[in-house]
């Protein structure tokens, strides 16, 4: 989708981090921006920073009815949605054998089902409206690798990658003009390592062995060398070029290559983060 000016962008998780920067980048292109998040003050701040026509909708992406009502609001206000960012996400850490069911329910509800809900609510409407549109779902480098201590997060993000690939094939088969991309960043300094801030009390139980993994992830996120603004710029460039895979961190590709060779050669899986500092290279 080459021309963005005057079109409508919807950004879930638009109250912080990568979502905020996607919103700012879309506003800078002259798009009408709709923010969707559970963090209302965060959305107010993003709206202020955009300096443009911005709508903010409180929306828990884990709830299908919230995302459906978001789509209704967008189509009532603007009559169309051209660029959907399924971006809201959270992370937990800790070894798989001590993950809690609450960890799985919380993370899968947002990271995986949130994307399902976005596709359900928006793609049929985009097909009906006709013309060009684009769906970008934020997965992660963790959606292409298997990182120890991140199994809940990795499973959710692998799901987003394969769901996006399936959607891409289906829309091409349907001869639709809707493009699809999957965004796979490695570490970016945002609020992601502080995801617990929005965790609902009823899903509060956490992995009892999470702490050392969470501390490592927090450090890696804080040290991330590519900013959320740079990720957003790379993402919009990919939308304009109708490019499917968006790998913002070049070293990720080396780790994927090793993983694929492990699979093809049926050898023991290589740990992509063998030491506490190795992850910083991803
Ligand atoms: N920062 C990184 O290192 C990194 C790397 C790879 C992928 N990602 C992915 O990028 C996306 C954006 O995360 P970020 O890094 O900007 O983190 P962030 O914490 O700064 O932003 C996430 C946003 O999602 C919102 N959110 C959380 N739960 C929600 C819910 N149930 N419904 C609606 N909104 C909700 C939060 O309120 C927040 O505004 C996530 O999908 C994350 O998994 C981040």
């Amino acid at each position: 989708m080459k021309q963005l000016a005057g079109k409508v962008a919807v950004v879930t998780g638009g109250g912080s981090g990568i979502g905020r920067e996607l919103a700012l980048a879309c506003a800078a292109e002259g798009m009408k921006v709709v923010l969707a998040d559970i963090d209302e003050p965060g959305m107010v701040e993003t709206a202020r920073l955009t300096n443009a026509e911005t709508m903010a909708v409180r929306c828990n992406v884990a709830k299908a009815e919230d995302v459906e009502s978001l789509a209704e609001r967008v189509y009532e206000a603007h009559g169309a949605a051209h660029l959907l960012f399924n971006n809201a996400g959270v992370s937990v850490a800790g070894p798989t054998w001590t993950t809690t069911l609450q960890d799985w329910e919380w993370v899968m509800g947002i990271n995986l089902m949130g994307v399902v809900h976005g596709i359900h609510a928006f793609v049929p409407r985009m097909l009906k409206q006709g013309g060009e549109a684009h769906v970008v779902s934020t997965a992660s480098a963790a959606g292409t690798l298997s990182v120890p201590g991140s199994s809940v997060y990795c499973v959710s993000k692998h799901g987003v990658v394969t769901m996006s690939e399936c959607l891409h094939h289906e829309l091409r088969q349907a001869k639709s003009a809707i493009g699809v991309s999957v965004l796979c960043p490695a570490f970016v300094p945002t609020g992601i390592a502080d995801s617990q801030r929005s965790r609902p009390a009823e899903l509060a139980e956490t992995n009892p062995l999470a702490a050392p993994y969470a501390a490592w992830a927090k450090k890696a996120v804080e040290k991330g060398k590519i900013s959320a603004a740079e990720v957003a710029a790379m993402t919009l460039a990919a939308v304009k070029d109708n490019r499917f895979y968006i790998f913002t961190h070049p070293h990720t590709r080396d780790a994927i290559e090793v993983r694929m060779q492990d699979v093809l050669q049926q050898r023991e899986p290589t740990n992509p983060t063998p030491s506490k500092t190795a992850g910083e290279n991803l």
Side-chain angles (χ1 to χ4, degrees):
M1 193 163 62
K2 294 268 179 235
Q3 293 301 323
L4 300 182
K7 292 185 175 155
V8 179
V10 180
V11 189
T12 74
S16 176
I18 294 171
R20 170 172 292 163
E21 295 298 335
L22 288 168
L24 297 186
C26 288
E29 291 278 347
M31 298 190 82
K32 295 169 193 153
V33 175
V34 181
L35 305 168
D37 204 304
I38 49 171
D39 178 357
E40 289 177 281
M43 286 194 286
V44 169
E45 178 59 7
T46 304
R48 186 187 70 76
L49 291 168
T50 59
N51 228 345
E53 186 186 343
T54 305
M55 187 171 135
V57 179
R58 190 191 149 79
C59 170
N60 178 354
V61 297
K63 293 188 174 168
E65 62 274 22
D66 273 23
V67 185
E68 179 58 26
S69 111
L70 167 70
E72 281 166 13
R73 298 260 318 261
V74 170
Y75 277 78
E76 262 165 36
H78 297 300
H82 303 97
L83 186 45
L84 169 67
F85 294 98
N86 287 314
N87 168 76
V90 290
S91 72
V92 295
T96 309
W97 64 89
T98 53
T99 54
T100 64
L101 294 182
Q102 289 82 357
D103 287 336
W104 286 99
E105 189 177 336
W106 181 50
V107 176
M108 298 301 274
I110 297 167
N111 293 10
L112 186 68
M113 294 312 294
V115 178
V116 173
H117 298 151
I119 291 169
H120 278 179
F122 283 92
V123 172
R125 287 178 165 94
M126 286 172 163
L127 285 165
K128 207 166 154 205
Q129 92 198 10
E132 279 189 319
H134 204 102
V135 177
V136 180
S137 297
T138 306
S140 169
T144 58
L145 301 171
S146 300
V147 183
S150 290
S151 107
V152 182
Y153 187 73
C154 285
V155 169
S156 72
K157 296 301 190 179
H158 275 252
V160 173
V161 171
T162 188
M163 193 188 336
S164 301
E165 289 171 346
C166 292
L167 179 67
H168 167 84
H169 298 319
E170 293 153 3
L171 288 168
R172 294 291 72 75
Q173 282 176 340
K175 302 202 185 320
S176 154
I178 303 174
V180 180
S181 299
V182 66
L183 171 60
C184 298
F187 297 112
V188 182
T190 66
I192 193 73
D194 185 27
S195 291
Q196 299 286 333
R197 70 191 187 278
S198 63
R199 189 164 175 159
E202 67 274 17
L203 298 177
E205 193 186 323
T206 55
N207 191 325
L209 298 183
Y213 292 94
W216 176 81
K218 189 172 168 55
K219 217 171 127 196
V221 164
E222 281 168 2
K223 281 187 167 177
K225 290 187 182 65
I226 296 183
S227 70
E230 289 171 293
V231 169
M234 289 185 233
T235 305
L236 281 204
V239 168
K240 288 179 185 173
D241 291 349
N242 199 13
R243 200 155 18 88
F244 181 85
Y245 294 106
I246 313 172
F247 283 99
T248 52
H249 295 61
H251 289 91
T252 306
R253 284 180 282 207
D254 301 338
I256 296 171
E257 174 84 42
V258 171
R259 177 168 183 258
M260 288 302 148
Q261 286 302 330
D262 289 345
V263 173
L264 291 170
Q265 295 176 36
Q266 298 181 55
R267 63 192 186 199
E268 191 175 327
T270 306
N271 180 352
T273 54
S275 74
K276 294 217 174 219
T277 53
E280 292 162 11
N281 297 327
L282 285 177

